[in-house]
C-alpha cells in the first residue's frame, strides 16, 4: 500500500506490530517498526505511526530514546503499543530461558512505565532548550536532571539523552484485556486494542475498563477503544465473495494453526487436517472452546471444526470480525460496533496488500463519511497524533488526569511502584533490627501504592 493512501483519506494511525519470535515461522517476515516509521514520515503530514515495544525485553532508556527520536522525526505523530510479551520463542531469542509469569510481567510493566515517564516527563524542563548561538549553549544544564531510579525490577542513573519531543510521551496504546491487563490499561493507556467476534462479547470489557479509569480520576471517554477487523469488500456481493474465496484458497492453513497454538498453548499437529476434532481433552482452558462456540454463533456457521477450517479462520480474521460484502453491508457492521460496543475506531487488518487498504479507502470510507462515522478532514492537519486523537488543539502532551502527568519536571513524584518498594524496604529493614514483621506492616506499606499495583500483588 502506498504510504500516501491512508493520510490522503484521513486514517489516524499506521500500526506496526513487532513480533520477535525467533522461530522458524518468522525469518524475513518482520522489519523493525522504527525503520518503517522513519521511511514513511517524509510523504505524510498527519498520519500517526504506532510502534510496538516490549516492557520485558527492551531497556527503558533505549525505548524512551528511540520513541523520542521518532516523535521528533515525525513532528509528534508517534504512539507506543505497550506489550509484555507472552512468547516463549521470543524469550529464548532475547536471552531468557522462559517467559516471566503473566502477573509478574505486569508488575514489571508498571515499574517500567514509571521509569519511561521519568525520562520523558521529569528529566528536562519545558524551557531547558535555548539554542543560544551567542552564548554557545543548546540547553540550560540546570534545567536538565538525572533520573535516579532504583526499584524492585529496574534501575537507571542518567538524564534522558534526547530533549523533549513534540508530545514528550508518545500516545500510549495497549491491548491486554486480562484482569491485570485491564488494570494496566485503566491506569496507563490512552487507546486500547480490543478483540471479539461480535459487539456483545466486547461491550462489557470496554465498560469495565472505562469504569476503572474513572475510579482513578480519569475521564472515561478519554480512553479510545479500537476493535480489530478484517473487511473483505467488493462493489457487489458477488465480487466480495469472490475475493474471499481467493483469499481462502491462498490462506496458509499451517500458519493459521501455528498462530492459534501460540495464543492457546494447544498443539494441533496430532489432528489430521480434515478430520473433525474435539478440544475437550486437549490442554488449555475454556476460553479456547468459548472462541470456537462464539465464532459459530457470530457467523451462523454450524459446521464441525477441523484443523483446516480453524487454520483458515485464523488466517482470515482469527479472533476478530471479518465481514464480507458491499460497502453498505460492511458499514453496517462498523456502525453496529460503534453503537453496541462503544468502540471509538477500528484496527483494520489486511488480507491482501495491495488490495485491502485501497478497498477500505476508496469503497468503504465514502459510505462511512456519508453516515457521519468518519471525517472529511483531520481535526488539525499537520498536528500531533494526540491532538487529532482527542480532537483538541494544543493537547500535545498527556492529559492532566493521566497518571503519567504526575511526573512533570519539578514535581518530585517518583511513581507508585517506587513508593511501594521503598515502603516495603523500610518494613524489612525494621524487621532486621528486631522489629516484628507482620501482615499489618506489609499491608500498610502496600496501601501506599495505587489501586492498580494493589491488584497486582
Amino acid at each position: 500500500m502506498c504510504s500516501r493512501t491512508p493520510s490522503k483519506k484521513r486514517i489516524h494511525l499506521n500500526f506496526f506490530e513487532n513480533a520477535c519470535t525467533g522461530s522458524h515461522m518468522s525469518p524475513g517476515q518482520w522489519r523493525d517498526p522504527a525503520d518503517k516509521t522513519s521511511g514513511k514520515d517524509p510523504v505524510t503530514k498527519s498520519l500517526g505511526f504506532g510502534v510496538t515495544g516490549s516492557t520485558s525485553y527492551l531497556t527503558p532508556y533505549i525505548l524512551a530514546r528511540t520513541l523520542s527520536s521518532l516523535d521528533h522525526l515525525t513532528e509528534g505523530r508517534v504512539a507506543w503499543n505497550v506489550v509484555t510479551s507472552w512468547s516463549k520463542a521470543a524469550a529464548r531469542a532475547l536471552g531468557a530461558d522462559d517467559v516471566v509469569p503473566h502477573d509478574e510481567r505486569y508488575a514489571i510493566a508498571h515499574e517500567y512505565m514509571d521509569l519511561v515517564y521519568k525520562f520523558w516527563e521529569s528529566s528536562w524542563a519545558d524551557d531547558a532548550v535555548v539554542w543560544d548561538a551567542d552564548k554557545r549553549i543548546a540547553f540550560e544544564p540546570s534545567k536538565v536532571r538525572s533520573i535516579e531510579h532504583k526499584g524492585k525490577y529496574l534501575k537507571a542513573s542518567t538524564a534522558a539523552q534526547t530533549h523533549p519531543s513534540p508530545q514528550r510521551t508518545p500516545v500510549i496504546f495497549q491491548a491486554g484485556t486480562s484482569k491485570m491487563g485491564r488494570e494496566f490499561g485503566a491506569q496507563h493507556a490512552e487507546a486500547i486494542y480490543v478483540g471479539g467476534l461480535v459487539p456483545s462479547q466486547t461491550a462489557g470489557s470496554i465498560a469495565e475498563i472505562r469504569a476503572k479509569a474513572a475510579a482513578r480520576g480519569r475521564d472515561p471517554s478519554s480512553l479510545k477503544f479500537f476493535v480489530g477487523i478484517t473487511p473483505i469488500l467488493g462493489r457487489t456481493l458477488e465480487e466480495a465473495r469472490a475475493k474471499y474465496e481467493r483469499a481462502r484458497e491462498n490462506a496458509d492453513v499451517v500458519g493459521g494453526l501455528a498462530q492459534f497454538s501460540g495464543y492457546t498453548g494447544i498443539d494441533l499437529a496430532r489432528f489430521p487436517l480434515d478430520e473433525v476434532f474435539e478440544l475437550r481433552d486437549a490442554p488449555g482452558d475454556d476460553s479456547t472452546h468459548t472462541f470456537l462456540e462464539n465464532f459459530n454463533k457470530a457467523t451462523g456457521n454450524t459446521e464441525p471444526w477441523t484443523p483446516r477450517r480453524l487454520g483458515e479462520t485464523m488466517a482470515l480474521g482469527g479472533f476478530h470480525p471479518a465481514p464480507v460484502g458491499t460497502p453498505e453491508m460492511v458499514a453496517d457492521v462498523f456502525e453496529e460496533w460503534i453503537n453496541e460496543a462503544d468502540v471509538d475506531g477500528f484496527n483494520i487488518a489486511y488480507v491482501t496488500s495491495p488490495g485491502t487498504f485501497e478497498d477500505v479507502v476508496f469503497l468503504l470510507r465514502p459510505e462511512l463519511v456519508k453516515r457521519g462515522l468518519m471525517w472529511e478532514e483531520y481535526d488539525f492537519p499537520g498536528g500531533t497524533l494526540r491532538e487529532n486523537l482527542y480532537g483538541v488543539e494544543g493537547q500535545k502532551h498527556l492529559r492532566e488526569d493521566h497518571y503519567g502527568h504526575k511526573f512533570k519536571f519539578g514535581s518530585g513524584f517518583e511513581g507508585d511502584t517506587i513508593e511501594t518498594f521503598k515502603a516495603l524496604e523500610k518494613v524489612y529493614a525494621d524487621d532486621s533490627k528486631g522489629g516484628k514483621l507482620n501482615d499489618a506492616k506489609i499491608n500498610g506499606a502496600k496501601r501506599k501504592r495505587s489501586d492498580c499495583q494493589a491488584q497486582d500483588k
Side-chain angles (χ1 to χ4, degrees), residues 150-152 418-432 437 445:
K150 183 180 179 182
K152 180 177 180 180
I418 287 294
E419 291 180 5
T420 300
F421 181 62
K422 288 180 177 178
L424 287 172
E425 275 193 326
K426 185 177 186 303
V427 169
Y428 288 110
D430 290 345
D431 179 59
S432 67
L437 182 63

Side-chain angles (χ1 to χ4, degrees), residues 321-332:
V324 179
T326 64
E328 293 79 11
M329 295 168 67
V330 174
D332 286 343

Side-chain angles (χ1 to χ4, degrees), residues 229 231-234 323-339 346 360 363-374:
I229 193 167
I232 300 178
L233 290 142
V324 179
T326 64
E328 293 79 11
M329 295 168 67
V330 174
D332 286 343
V333 176
F334 276 57
E335 191 165 10
E336 181 183 18
W337 274 93
I338 292 170
N339 292 335
F346 298 85
V360 168
L363 298 181
L364 179 60
R365 180 183 175 274
E367 180 63 25
L368 295 176
V369 169
K370 184 171 71 175
R371 300 185 187 200
L373 301 178
M374 199 169 182

Side-chain angles (χ1 to χ4, degrees), residues 233-240 243 325-328 358-359 362-363:
L233 290 142
R235 291 172 178 80
T236 65
L237 180 57
E238 291 72 24
E239 181 184 354
K243 288 182 180 180
T326 64
E328 293 79 11
E358 284 75 8
D359 286 347
F362 297 110
L363 298 181

Side-chain angles (χ1 to χ4, degrees), residues 45-47 74-77 380-388:
K45 294 182 179 179
S46 301
L47 179 67
T74 61
E75 298 181 329
R77 291 183 283 136
F380 307 105
T384 66
L385 175 58
R386 188 173 277 113
E387 286 175 297
N388 278 305

